[in-house]
Amino acid sequence: MLRPTLCLLASACALNAFAAAPPDATHARDPGQAVDEAYGRKIAEYTTDPSFNSPLTDYLPASSSVPTPAKVLGDVAGAPNMLPYSKDVYRYFDMLAAASPRVKVFRIGKTEEGRDMIVAAIADEALLTDQKANDARLAQLADPRTIGLDDARADALVAQATPVYYITGSIHSPETGAPTALMELAYRLAVDEAPYIRNIRSHVITLITPVVEADGRDRMVDLYNWHRANPGRTPPPLLYWGHYVAHDNNRDAMGLTLNLSRNVLDTYIGWHAQVLHDLHESVPFLYDNTVGDGPYNAWVDPILVNEWQQFGWDNVQAMTKFGMPGVFTHGDFDTWSPGYLMFMAAMHNGVSRLYETFGNSGADTVERILEPSEYARTWYRPNPPWPKVRWSQRDNNNYEQTGLLTALDYFADNGKLFLHNFYLKSKRSIEKPAMAGPAAYVLPADDAHRTAQAQLLRTLQFQHVEISRLRDAVTAQAPAPPEKPKEGADDKKDAAANAKPRTVAKTFPAGSYVVRMDQPYSRIADALLDRQYWAPEDPQKHPYDDTGWSFGDLYGTQVIRITDASLLKAPMETLTAPVTAAGTIHGSGPVYLIDNHADATLVSLRFALKDADFSAAEKAFDAAGRHFGTGSLIVRKVDNAALSLKLGSLGLDAWAVAAAPDVPSHRVGLPRIALMHTWIDTQTEGWWRMALDRLGVPYGYISTQTVARDDDLRRKYDVILFAPLHAGTSNLIVNGVPLVGNPVPWKQTPLTPNMGIDTTDDTRPGLGAAGVAHLQRFVERGGLFLAAGEAAKFAIDEGLAPGVSIASAKDLRVVGSVLNATVTDTGHPLSYGYEGTFAVYSEDGMSFQLSNLLMFGNNLPNTKDYKRPTGRGGPRDVDMPEGRAPVEAAELPTPKPWEALPLNAEQEAYSPFFPNVVIPVSLRPRTVVRFADADNLLVSGLLQGGAGLAQRAAVVDARYGSGHTVLFAINPIWRGETIGSYGLVFNAILNWDRLGQ
């Protein structure tokens, strides 16, 4: 079959336009090496068109001693109708290592469910034997301080060192091709004697982690096996990938909350690799999306940007020469967020790379019809994919392997350049204080939020960032608070003046933590601790992910950016152990007082000490020579040793006193908690499950179907949590998926042993009218229903939050941003521990509007909407009817944006037309947290039209019967990053039965 090939450079175009180009001299196979003819015939059979293969992968060299993937798979890699489990993939790599001295396999850690993760190292035997010495050389290039930043010594190391290229696959479980492609790639690298492969093997150590998300891989294989065993029936969706999160596992490179993230990063850093190349499947036919589109991350070294271009365009050129259609780079993926797995390399002085290849979410060979935007010819995609294609998993494997082999070939030929760049980027990271800055970030020792501070510092340590601690108090220049514009001042001049950084002297106490920027991995620390700004006018109108993530703000702890380089001369020690916030007991006595700083670990303490008597102070008080804020805990009837041990592990302090303070308080019990999920989307609620599990909070994990069956939820639970989800409409949550065709199960069976976490015989039914009624009865009888994001909208739509609606805001644009919020109801238990302004995460700018009426509440007369009629006087005068004395009109209300319109006597009065419209005073919704004023709203990310969100309600306590529905327009528990807003949720849980006080 003939297909035209478009060349990248006009001068390189040839007249020959055959679909699969013959091998050039660079990639010719070794004519003296036998090939596995049976395996090769299968490759040809399973490849749906010759254009979808290359001279690099249309054969397999034969070996009498090294097994091919068929030994484990029973067929060739990429064969139709079969997917191997992770254990089978690992078994093959172990067999490869046993058979070839060119392969070594290492276990690099466990998943959340206890499955292994592995890495295979492939190179000439001599290189692997010399690996420890080579690693010592690479370690010096990774940390040029060890050689005094001496370029000449670096050059000598570069000349001796062998670079490392790390490939990872199958982080996204429905993207199924990488494990088999990497099995075959490993075999080729170990066995093939083609000159270019020998060159790779002798000049590069290739690392391969074939399955990153092993828990999700095994569930996906289960699902595929069900699909094969039930032809013609609708298979279950892959509802759970990893134990906690699905697609978002590739957004964890900042917070490193998942085992897979830490295991991959530790491997990348441990081997001092130069490249991290992650394999994905969502775009036809191969998209090197690393080049991507703007805006690029503001903290990457410009050298890296050039390396992206070098790799990307070389890949495109090489594969286009082979006659393979649909290979391109650039595209529309913005390279802004550092949350992607591959970006670990970008933030640690390496080269991040990512392929999107075409996949079928399984091993079926199917006809695929592309959208016009996918096959359109553009300047960066002159040889686009075909509009319609019969595609197989073998096609996918051919593309992935060909791309990787050409990349490894390019890397082998230019290894010294990339090693030198690796050194330069590391050196430039160390020189940061004298170049782009800053000098350091300081986390003060006197920060009241010690547990959040310690957690943030541990996250940085997971990132292999060095943390230092001041031996003595130090004074340095720190950013001055921004000045408010003076009345009548020139806005442009005032803005220009504020653009110049102002500093003031600030003294940091001994013991303060310092994150120095003169270290090799300063780049990741700077990217996480600094703030981000995405200009509303940026040409990129569709950010790929969150636009803001400033960790100090999200964790709720002080982080101060210091440009004063004199701080680096202060005496300090570099920490070698994980940072902890050690707690203890001060004083003696049978009553213990614990201040509430919105620490998430307070909920851990309560559930750990089940038999103790806990109360929460409803007002601030003084005791033990110090001040305790509202919501502080008063603990009685507890063993001193047990309390001391738990406080120490949780980083909390308690003050022992002889008697409880004379302050209004209420008991804090042990609420029975359920976390409700749908069978539509389990992605975002996974972050909530993780938070509850890691804080030791017991809960029942129930589905909407469970709720539909149980007409007495109140008998089992006091609190039901409904985390954000992406269902699109409340109707889908209630009605589920139409019951067309067969039941769609999610359950463990001999055929699907890994389909756990929760179970159902049919994922299609939703909550139903009965489930809605059961939730209403639960709240009506005194329960707490807490819902966030789209779940909050569901609660409003189903009448669980009378008087609350979603606020509309014209021209508002928020995309995963960090915004400021403030407490409006300081006595409300939800606000315990929160003072002043604090940061929250907003996905899309949702906010609430309150009303004291069940209907018509937003249409009452008020000063904002009032327009005077035509009459006498000017626009601000009052019209006066002639022939009578003036009669003063009732003053129109002027509520704040977070408040409901107050009712006058007329509006409060009974009406026979609408007798139940007015919400009783005791049952009216209350705003507990609102968004900040417009000029102080944005912390990090993208905010456009912020006036439409400023001062709007962000967290609301609504009443329904005897219970409460607490609504979050924000997501308080997100990706393990929003530690500072966890307390809002746990305050609600601990004080569930006292929210109306």
Side-chain angles (χ1 to χ4, degrees):
M1 184 175 180
L2 299 178
R3 291 285 172 186
T5 300
L6 296 175
C7 299
L8 288 177
L9 299 174
S11 60
C13 289
L15 294 176
N16 190 338
F18 285 97
D24 55 28
T26 305
H27 300 102
R29 68 179 69 163
D30 180 359
Q33 184 176 27
V35 297
D36 188 326
E37 293 183 1
Y39 199 106
R41 283 194 296 271
K42 287 291 188 180
I43 291 175
E45 177 185 346
Y46 299 150
T47 299
T48 61
D49 189 278
S51 296
F52 303 152
N53 209 344
S54 74
L56 281 60
T57 54
D58 63 3
Y59 73 99
L60 196 76
S63 172
S64 60
S65 58
V66 180
T68 72
K71 183 72 174 178
V72 168
L73 301 176
D75 206 335
V76 305
N81 307 328
M82 55 85 79
L83 293 177
Y85 284 103
S86 61
K87 65 181 182 184
D88 298 319
V89 177
Y90 299 166
R91 182 158 59 94
Y92 176 69
F93 275 89
D94 287 337
M95 291 170 62
L96 201 58
S100 172
R102 296 167 174 171
V103 182
K104 289 186 177 181
V105 175
F106 305 87
R107 265 59 187 171
I108 62 173
K110 299 280 188 180
T111 67
E112 277 75 11
E113 296 179 2
R115 292 176 177 85
D116 280 334
M117 289 180 64
I118 70 166
V119 68
I122 307 172
D124 277 348
E125 183 179 2
L127 291 183
L128 294 181
T129 302
D130 186 52
Q131 189 267 324
K132 185 175 289 187
N134 186 64
D135 187 64
R137 292 187 284 269
L138 293 177
Q140 293 178 80
L141 295 175
D143 186 357
R145 295 172 301 182
T146 59
I147 56 173
L149 307 184
D150 187 326
D151 292 350
R153 293 177 66 185
D155 289 343
L157 289 167
V158 167
Q160 297 173 331
T162 301
V164 179
Y165 196 108
Y166 187 14
I167 304 166
T168 55
S170 197
I171 185 173
H172 282 167
S173 305
E175 301 168 7
T176 56
T180 52
L182 293 174
M183 291 166 71
E184 190 172 285
L185 177 72
Y187 176 87
R188 293 180 188 279
L189 292 174
V191 171
D192 204 329
E193 295 300 330
Y196 85 98
I197 293 277
R198 291 203 306 269
N199 186 52
I200 293 171
R201 210 162 43 226
S202 62
H203 289 85
V204 178
I205 296 174
T206 302
L207 301 180
I208 296 176
T209 291
V211 182
V212 171
E213 177 54 274
D215 297 337
R217 171 68 183 188
D218 288 356
R219 275 188 270 279
M220 181 62 199
V221 176
D222 278 0
L223 187 154
Y224 186 72
N225 289 342
W226 190 98
H227 158 68
R228 295 296 308 167
N230 294 272
R233 305 184 74 200
T234 301
L238 190 62
L239 284 158
Y240 298 96
W241 300 12
H243 187 73
Y244 289 116
V245 295
H247 189 272
D248 264 10
N249 59 10
N250 195 36
R251 304 296 185 272
D252 190 50
M254 291 189 284
L256 299 179
T257 64
L258 301 173
N259 290 3
L260 66 85
S261 306
R262 294 195 293 272
N263 292 341
V264 169
L265 179 60
D266 288 349
T267 303
Y268 174 80
I269 297 292
W271 283 78
H272 301 102
Q274 284 64 60
V275 179
L276 177 57
H277 193 152
D278 197 27
L279 302 181
H280 289 253
E281 298 168 25
S282 68
V283 178
F285 290 142
L286 188 148
Y287 170 35
D288 183 338
N289 87 340
T290 317
V291 174
D293 196 2
Y296 281 179
N297 181 277
W299 292 268
V300 299
D301 193 304
I303 293 174
L304 171 61
V305 175
N306 297 332
E307 291 172 317
W308 287 339
Q309 308 289 337
Q310 288 174 270
F311 268 117
W313 290 112
D314 182 78
N315 257 179
V316 172
Q317 177 172 255
M319 295 181 72
T320 302
K321 286 180 178 180
F322 293 141
M324 304 180 80
V327 180
F328 65 101
T329 188
H330 186 66
D332 58 3
F333 166 75
D334 69 74
T335 311
W336 175 248
S337 169
Y340 312 109
L341 186 81
M342 57 101 175
F343 229 76
M344 291 174 176
M347 293 285 99
H348 293 84
N349 304 319
V351 183
S352 54
R353 302 204 66 212
L354 188 149
Y355 285 165
E356 293 281 6
T357 49
F358 210 28
N360 292 337
S361 294
D364 288 3
T365 300
V366 296
E367 181 104 343
R368 302 291 298 275
I369 300 173
L370 276 59
E371 296 180 2
S373 62
E374 294 178 306
Y375 60 77
R377 182 174 59 84
T378 68
W379 70 265
Y380 59 83
R381 192 171 53 197
N383 184 15
W386 298 357
K388 186 168 69 173
V389 62
R390 185 168 175 268
W391 192 259
S392 69
Q393 181 146 278
R394 182 65 216 186
D395 297 334
N396 166 279
N397 280 201
N398 293 337
Y399 269 79
E400 286 191 333
Q401 288 188 75
T402 300
L404 289 168
L405 286 168
T406 58
L408 288 168
D409 182 38
Y410 183 78
F411 187 65
D413 287 345
N414 296 277
K416 300 307 178 185
L417 168 66
F418 290 110
L419 280 172
H420 184 66
N421 286 351
F422 178 65
Y423 161 72
L424 280 181
K425 287 179 289 186
S426 302
K427 179 182 177 184
R428 285 151 66 109
S429 293
I430 294 165
E431 294 173 335
K432 205 173 196 334
M435 299 176 73
Y441 289 88
V442 177
L443 287 75
D446 55 3
D447 189 348
H449 303 95
R450 290 189 305 140
T451 56
Q453 181 187 76
Q455 194 162 349
L456 173 54
L457 290 167
R458 284 198 299 274
T459 299
L460 292 174
Q461 288 180 313
F462 286 146
Q463 293 281 4
H464 296 261
V465 172
E466 296 169 0
I467 309 296
S468 300
R469 202 165 191 185
L470 292 176
R471 292 199 180 107
D472 306 302
V474 172
T475 299
Q477 291 295 308
E483 290 183 342
K484 289 190 175 181
K486 297 177 181 178
E487 192 173 343
D490 184 305
D491 289 343
K492 290 184 179 179
K493 288 183 179 179
D494 196 63
N498 280 331
K500 300 174 184 176
R502 297 187 310 108
T503 61
V504 294
K506 183 176 179 62
T507 299
F508 299 103
S512 294
Y513 295 97
V514 180
V515 183
R516 302 173 65 104
M517 292 293 102
D518 56 350
Q519 61 170 300
Y521 302 137
S522 63
R523 198 171 307 284
I524 182 62
D526 196 17
L528 297 183
L529 299 180
D530 204 352
R531 289 177 172 175
Q532 300 76 41
Y533 179 73
W534 184 300
E537 299 80 13
D538 193 279
Q540 174 62 269
K541 299 303 180 186
H542 303 286
Y544 199 79
D545 201 68
D546 288 347
T547 58
W549 54 81
S550 47
F551 269 30
D553 301 300
L554 288 177
Y555 275 66
T557 188
Q558 293 183 60
V559 174
I560 301 168
R561 187 176 189 266
I562 302 295
T563 57
D564 181 359
S566 68
L567 175 69
L568 302 177
K569 299 176 183 177
M572 62 183 78
E573 60 178 339
T574 302
L575 303 183
T576 56
V579 174
T580 58
T584 189
I585 296 175
H586 306 271
S588 60
V591 179
Y592 304 90
L593 310 177
I594 303 171
D595 209 351
N596 189 334
H597 297 294
D599 301 292
T601 49
L602 288 174
V603 75
S604 306
L605 182 70
R606 180 62 196 100
F607 281 99
L609 302 174
K610 292 181 172 58
D611 296 328
D613 186 332
F614 278 71
S615 297
E618 295 174 356
K619 291 185 178 180
F621 63 92
D622 293 322
R626 59 178 284 112
H627 184 74
F628 291 84
T630 306
S632 293
L633 296 180
I634 304 166
V635 186
R636 307 174 182 86
K637 299 178 183 178
V638 64
D639 178 74
N640 181 282
L643 176 62
S644 178
L645 183 66
K646 205 64 195 173
L647 291 171
S649 66
L650 296 176
L652 298 170
D653 282 340
W655 280 261
V657 293
D662 183 15
V663 62
S665 63
H666 60 260
R667 181 177 176 273
V668 176
L670 294 167
R672 301 164 301 165
I673 305 164
L675 177 63
M676 183 176 77
H677 72 90
T678 70
W679 288 104
I680 302 162
D681 174 31
T682 64
Q683 163 86 289
T684 306
E685 60 86 9
W687 296 114
W688 289 55
R689 279 193 289 121
M690 177 190 289
L692 294 170
D693 285 346
R694 293 186 177 175
L695 288 165
V697 179
Y699 63 97
Y701 188 53
I702 63 175
S703 76
T704 49
Q705 295 177 2
T706 311
V707 173
R709 292 190 298 266
D710 193 336
D711 64 355
D712 192 4
L713 295 165
R714 191 69 188 85
R715 176 173 50 88
K716 296 179 181 177
Y717 305 113
D718 303 308
V719 178
I720 295 178
L721 309 175
F722 196 17
L725 72 163
H726 293 95
T729 69
S730 297
N731 286 337
L732 191 58
I733 298 171
V734 175
N735 298 324
V737 177
L739 301 180
V740 177
N742 58 275
V744 181
W746 182 276
K747 60 192 300 184
Q748 289 176 310
T749 69
L751 181 64
T752 57
N754 303 292
M755 281 182 157
I757 303 181
D758 200 2
T759 183
T760 180
D761 290 326
D762 192 353
T763 60
R764 298 173 301 165
L767 188 63
V772 172
H774 295 163
L775 280 177
Q776 290 172 337
R777 188 176 302 130
F778 166 79
V779 182
E780 189 176 36
R781 293 180 177 179
L784 167 63
F785 185 63
L786 187 152
E790 198 172 294
K793 183 179 183 300
F794 156 82
I796 293 169
D797 291 344
E798 300 307 321
L800 287 162
V804 186
S805 59
I806 302 296
S808 60
K810 187 180 179 182
D811 301 325
L812 173 66
R813 187 165 169 244
V814 173
V815 182
S817 300
V818 186
L819 306 176
N820 271 326
T822 187
V823 171
T824 59
D825 193 340
T826 55
H828 197 288
L830 259 73
S831 69
Y832 287 170
Y834 289 92
E835 297 178 355
T837 298
F838 59 97
V840 296
Y841 170 82
S842 174
E843 180 184 9
D844 56 9
M846 175 188 280
S847 66
F848 303 121
Q849 186 163 334
L850 272 58
S851 173
N852 294 324
L853 300 176
L854 292 176
M855 59 181 71
F856 314 127
N858 298 330
N859 298 318
L860 296 177
N862 61 86
T863 54
K864 180 182 177 183
D865 296 334
Y866 173 75
K867 301 290 187 296
R868 67 150 291 179
T870 302
R872 64 150 300 277
R876 292 182 177 82
D877 291 321
V878 177
D879 190 35
M880 291 294 181
E882 295 295 323
R884 75 180 199 194
V887 178
E888 187 174 351
E891 185 176 351
L892 293 177
T894 309
K896 301 294 186 184
W898 67 87
E899 297 174 331
L901 275 165
L903 305 179
N904 60 31
E906 176 76 14
Q907 294 156 348
E908 292 267 16
Y910 169 84
S911 167
F913 299 103
F914 300 102
N916 299 309
V917 165
V918 178
I919 301 174
V921 173
S922 63
L923 298 179
R924 291 175 181 174
R926 301 159 62 184
T927 296
V928 182
V929 177
R930 68 168 176 88
F931 289 105
D933 298 349
D935 61 355
N936 190 38
L937 183 55
L938 178 63
V939 178
S940 290
L942 168 62
L943 174 64
Q944 187 172 21
L949 183 61
Q951 300 187 343
R952 290 284 188 182
V955 182
V956 169
D957 177 13
R959 297 297 303 271
Y960 187 86
S962 299
H964 294 255
T965 299
V966 172
L967 305 173
F968 285 80
I970 60 172
N971 188 348
I973 300 178
W974 176 240
R975 293 181 176 173
E977 299 170 4
T978 58
I979 307 303
S981 55
Y982 279 21
L984 295 169
V985 175
F986 297 126
N987 280 341
I989 289 174
L990 291 176
N991 301 281
W992 69 276
D993 56 346
R994 302 293 288 196
L995 299 183
Q997 297 299 312

